[in-house]
Amino acid sequence: MKKIFFVSVLCLAVMINLGAQNSDAFTWELRIEKKASGTPLDFNQTIEKLADVIPPDAPPDVVNHSLAKDDDLAIRVKPLANSYCYIIQYGPDRKVTLYHDVQLNAGIEKVFNPVLTGGPGIDTFYIIMSAKREAKLENVINTYKRSPNVRQANSNVYYEALAIQKADEPLGEPPQRFTISGGTARGTLTNVPADSPPSGTARYSGRNRYVRIVSVKH
């Protein structure tokens, strides 16, 4: 009886260890930047698209969270393991724009140049990274692709993105800097690997799915 119990405990420990290794393997990087200069934007707060240029004497908070009138946004995503990437834009007109919905290969950086919705309002970008395919989300996306002008098709994509976010809500919105093995830390870490991402780039690791929200006011 003791032998059976020991074997069961050993098997359970191996499964937990394998699960932890699998979770640690899912690592990806995100960078939001000004397209013209490549300067990183701090996306912990709402990014604002200005009606003019950024003044040369503007304080760092304005510079780090603002886009000039003639500048655009660039979104850079780079997974360190094969990952499913979904990038969905939801505008003030309640319409969806889909930028990506397939797998990204490990080590390949993908750059997206979204177009902001015309007129005043807020564009919200839902960047969903997952170690496995999000079947329900892909189903509503496929329906949207067939009828992109149907309001319900737009709404279904938006609400499914929200549902995924809500499912991860107990873990909280991931911080901009690093998530290591499910915990959070900011700034320079002593245990950051030598291949740490460039300044302004967020690296996420330790969970098998993330929903990162970026808001742009214009």
Side-chain angles (χ1 to χ4, degrees), residues 54-60 62-63:
I54 300 176
D57 58 347
V62 173
V63 174

Side-chain angles (χ1 to χ4, degrees), residues 86 88 90 96 125-128 137 140 154-167 211 213:
Y86 308 88
I88 299 160
Y90 187 71
V96 160
F125 296 89
Y126 294 86
I127 302 169
I128 301 171
L137 178 60
V140 295
N154 281 258
S155 296
N156 288 344
V157 173
Y158 170 64
Y159 287 128
E160 182 56 28
L162 287 182
I164 293 174
Q165 181 201 6
K166 186 176 181 180
V211 182
I213 297 175

Side-chain angles (χ1 to χ4, degrees), residues 33-179:
E33 63 185 28
K34 303 176 185 184
K35 184 179 178 182
S37 63
T39 303
L41 285 159
D42 183 352
F43 49 87
N44 276 325
Q45 300 179 32
T46 298
I47 298 168
E48 186 168 2
K49 174 86 168 182
L50 303 179
D52 208 337
V53 298
I54 300 176
D57 58 347
D61 185 64
V62 173
V63 174
N64 295 337
H65 298 95
S66 301
L67 276 173
K69 176 184 178 181
D70 296 327
D71 205 351
D72 292 309
L73 197 70
I75 299 175
R76 294 180 177 270
V77 177
K78 181 181 178 181
L80 276 66
N82 290 344
S83 309
Y84 290 90
C85 172
Y86 308 88
I87 299 183
I88 299 160
Q89 176 181 355
Y90 187 71
D93 55 0
R94 295 189 294 171
K95 288 187 177 180
V96 160
T97 302
L98 181 67
Y99 289 96
H100 200 267
D101 66 331
V102 295
Q103 190 178 47
L104 283 179
N105 293 328
I108 304 299
E109 184 179 67
K110 191 83 171 178
V111 182
F112 305 92
N113 298 119
V115 178
L116 299 179
T117 306
I122 295 179
D123 279 299
T124 303
F125 296 89
Y126 294 86
I127 302 169
I128 301 171
M129 296 291 292
S130 180
K132 64 179 183 179
R133 173 177 275 114
E134 298 293 331
K136 190 172 180 181
L137 178 60
E138 290 189 9
N139 286 339
V140 295
I141 283 175
N142 289 334
T143 301
Y144 159 80
K145 286 179 177 179
R146 291 193 294 268
S147 306
N149 296 319
V150 174
R151 177 73 70 183
Q152 190 61 52
N154 281 258
S155 296
N156 288 344
V157 173
Y158 170 64
Y159 287 128
E160 182 56 28
L162 287 182
I164 293 174
Q165 181 201 6
K166 186 176 181 180
D168 288 349
E169 189 174 324
L171 297 171
E173 175 78 358
Q176 182 186 351
R177 290 298 176 189
F178 295 90
T179 301

Side-chain angles (χ1 to χ4, degrees), residues 23-41:
S23 180
D24 290 341
F26 181 56
T27 302
W28 63 287
E29 298 171 359
L30 173 65
R31 181 182 176 94
I32 310 295
E33 63 185 28
K34 303 176 185 184
K35 184 179 178 182
S37 63
T39 303
L41 285 159

